[in-house]
Amino acid sequence: MRLSTLQIAYRNLGRNKRRTLLALSAIALGQFTLVFVNAMMAGSFETMIKTVTGPLIGHVQVHHRAWREERAVDLYIDNVAESQRAIEALPGVTAVSTRTYAPVLAASGETGNAPADAEPAVVVGLNVANEARTGGLLGPLPEENLPGAHGVALGKALAIRLGLERGDQIAIIAQDADGFPTSDLFEVRAVVDSTVDIVKTMGILMSAADAGELLAMPDKAHELIIQGEDYREADILTAEVAALPELQANEVISWREAMPEIVRMMDMKNWVDVIFLAIVFVAAAAGVANTSLMSTFERTKEFGMLLAMGTNPGRIVRMVLIESVTLGLIGVMAGSILGLTAVFITSQTGLDYSAFSGIEAEDISFAGVSFSYIIYPHLEARHVTFGIVAVVITSVLASLWPAVLAARLEPVEAMHS
Amino acid sequence: MIERSLPMVGRLVILALLSAAGAAADAPAVDSETPLVKDGQLDLDAVVKHFEDLYRSDSSISDAELTVVRPRTERSLRMKVWTSGKEKALVLVEEPAREKGTATLKVDKNLWNYMPKIKKTVRIPPSMMLAPWMGSDFTNDDLVRESSYEEDYTYAVDGRSEDPAGWQIRFDAKADTVGLWKRLEVIMSEDGRIPLLARFYDQKDRHARTIHWDDVKILGGRRLPARMTLIPEDIPENKTVMVYHAIDFDVDVPEDTFSLSRLEQVR
């Protein structure tokens, strides 16, 4: 019976079980770490991007060309209603919201003994219906608490500073788009604890109509926020929106341009991916090289015999290589299965990393947006395949030298060693 | 935001904008004609005192126009100003119609704004002092700050100035003075009577503000620049122009002009 090279390789691995197991565990552990940590990071970034592109910046934004530079009240988009209809007609657009921003002075409008202190605040005029959905700036507010018709929602921190509660009056003093002083009284309909820092600390959320009236800018807005079906498709959507004739006077950008901090952090994450991949490489290389060197030296006599019997040196190279690759593959498969299982379980239950770090807070703030500490790992196929490819390549490379060494043995000398 | 003091410009604005009065004891009729030059040299102490007292009076009532210029817009407010001592002032907007009745009251270091449309008075807290006043390039702090060229700064003649032609006087903040400005350069006319230009340097010695004075007229019996232009050097395309149409010095201003209840009644 002629044994196949694969069978021989497999049997050889079984000769020193402890050594083989050690090598297998090193590779498996490397792959497990790669799969699990990458999935965890991908999960946290997914959450982060969804949080950011949800209420705050959407997938695509439209502004006056100079808005991002200056943020002056008179840098607005004109003919908002018409532009909004044109964007909504595009395929893949799920929602279009308008935003109006203006720095103002706010004070309690309640009658008191002494005039109330003014506080700096930011009026955010928005489409109440759009923002009232899950993920919108107005979050899940009940119908009767929504802004509109001279009712506003206040950021929690601002409400505390002004000493206002639901049902109170708030006085707003601003400069309109023409630069003239303007003022009005509004009723506080809700106090919101927003994930967006600026809204929580300074935000006065009001309907687009009220903001347009206060700031003398009817049918105008500072920002259009466009939601698509998937944030990954934002660049395509950006190009489509930018091509609309209605928006030629304006600037159209994707969330990547609007949120460079997040993009930089994602670039950093790609480097972390590479580092983990390198760890798997090293683990596999060390495990495989050691195992294959040891077993080749142990079998010098055997290889001499095989060569003396006329075995083709090429087959000896193949034998050693296949032995190593088999070792690597078994290890990486074991690691992948463990990693996949861990990812699957934690993606169902969620992973609260504040528990690991001993932090009491419920959320973490970055780039002006709060994120939850709970991560739902998200598996990407490449996290598994990169590890497998890396292990196969390192297995071949690490065992090539011992294999060539074995094939070049002088049969007679080898048998006498 | 930390409340920072703003000594020099505070004085400048109060002088020019609110015609703040000096201490009651020394409110002389201001001589605005005799040149303050002896033997071809500037009589520095007299010039600085004159500069400081130029718009001073026990009390005053003035008509002024505030124009705020922005790259894309320009708007003007016509206002009436009452002052008493240097502690009290009331600014009431008279035009345009939609702003009519908007008022600012200053008593010592406190500032209140009254908005007629909503019939509300709002106090400007210390944290808002560096915010713009009525959308202009002046800050609230410019209105309430009280300081003195003579007391808070050391001064010396820097020499002749070519453009505009006159004397350049350098003011350096005294070591114990806390303020926005480290130093300033003021250019006075040939006779030492009329300020022409002032450059303000912040604590990092950057040129932060420029004020131009021109349109010299007789107002309230004094020879004064009727127009003052402020340019914030960090946004040089912005400017705020203050023009006096009339000033009455040392007129009777009832004390109750400067009260919160009056603030809400003035029309």
Side-chain angles (χ1 to χ4, degrees), chain B residues 122-135:
Chain B
V122 163
R123 192 176 85 97
I124 307 299
S127 61
M128 292 298 297
M129 279 301 160
L130 291 179
W133 175 70
M134 291 220 183

Side-chain angles (χ1 to χ4, degrees), chain B residues 199-231:
Chain B
R199 297 187 198 96
F200 293 78
Y201 295 84
D202 66 13
Q203 293 297 358
K204 291 184 177 164
D205 212 28
R206 287 175 303 211
H207 184 194
R209 259 186 181 182
T210 305
I211 292 180
H212 296 271
W213 288 271
D214 56 4
D215 191 17
V216 176
K217 283 182 182 168
I218 306 290
L219 285 168
R222 300 181 188 179
R223 198 162 62 91
L224 301 168
R227 182 163 59 203
M228 174 174 126
T229 307
L230 182 146
I231 299 167

Side-chain angles (χ1 to χ4, degrees), chain A residues 266-300:
Chain A
M266 289 178 65
D267 289 346
M268 209 173 76
K269 171 191 168 284
N270 288 337
W271 282 107
V272 175
D273 282 2
V274 170
I275 291 169
F276 273 103
L277 200 59
I279 292 172
V280 178
F281 260 108
V282 171
V288 172
N290 175 54
T291 311
S292 110
L293 265 176
M294 298 275 286
S295 73
T296 316
F297 288 145
E298 273 172 15
R299 285 184 280 155
T300 307

Side-chain angles (χ1 to χ4, degrees), chain B residues 9 56 83 99-100 104 118 123 131 133 158 167 177 200 203 207 212 227 232 246 258 261 263:
Chain B
V9 81
R56 272 195 187 185
T83 70
E99 315 301 332
K100 191 172 159 63
T104 299
I118 54 175
R123 192 176 85 97
W133 175 70
D158 243 4
W167 302 91
T177 308
F200 293 78
Q203 293 297 358
H207 184 194
H212 296 271
R227 182 163 59 203
F258 309 101
S261 51
L263 179 66

Side-chain angles (χ1 to χ4, degrees), chain B residues 15 29-36 43-56 149-150 155 188-189 191-195 222-225:
Chain B
L15 290 179
V30 177
D31 167 15
S32 46
E33 296 301 332
T34 324
L36 297 170
D43 180 356
L44 188 59
D45 288 337
V47 168
V48 172
K49 183 155 180 22
H50 174 73
F51 179 37
E52 188 130 76
D53 291 344
L54 197 56
Y55 295 85
R56 272 195 187 185
Y149 291 110
E150 286 178 280
Y155 45 86
M188 299 294 289
S189 61
D191 63 359
R193 288 290 185 186
I194 302 294
R222 300 181 188 179
R223 198 162 62 91
L224 301 168

Side-chain angles (χ1 to χ4, degrees), chain A residues 153-166 168 170 188 190-192 199-203:
Chain A
L154 287 193
K156 193 176 169 188
L158 179 67
I160 292 171
R161 285 205 309 281
L162 293 172
L164 290 175
E165 290 172 2
R166 198 154 81 79
D168 289 349
I170 180 172
V188 178
V191 172
V192 292
V199 171
K200 184 172 172 176
T201 56
M202 297 179 85

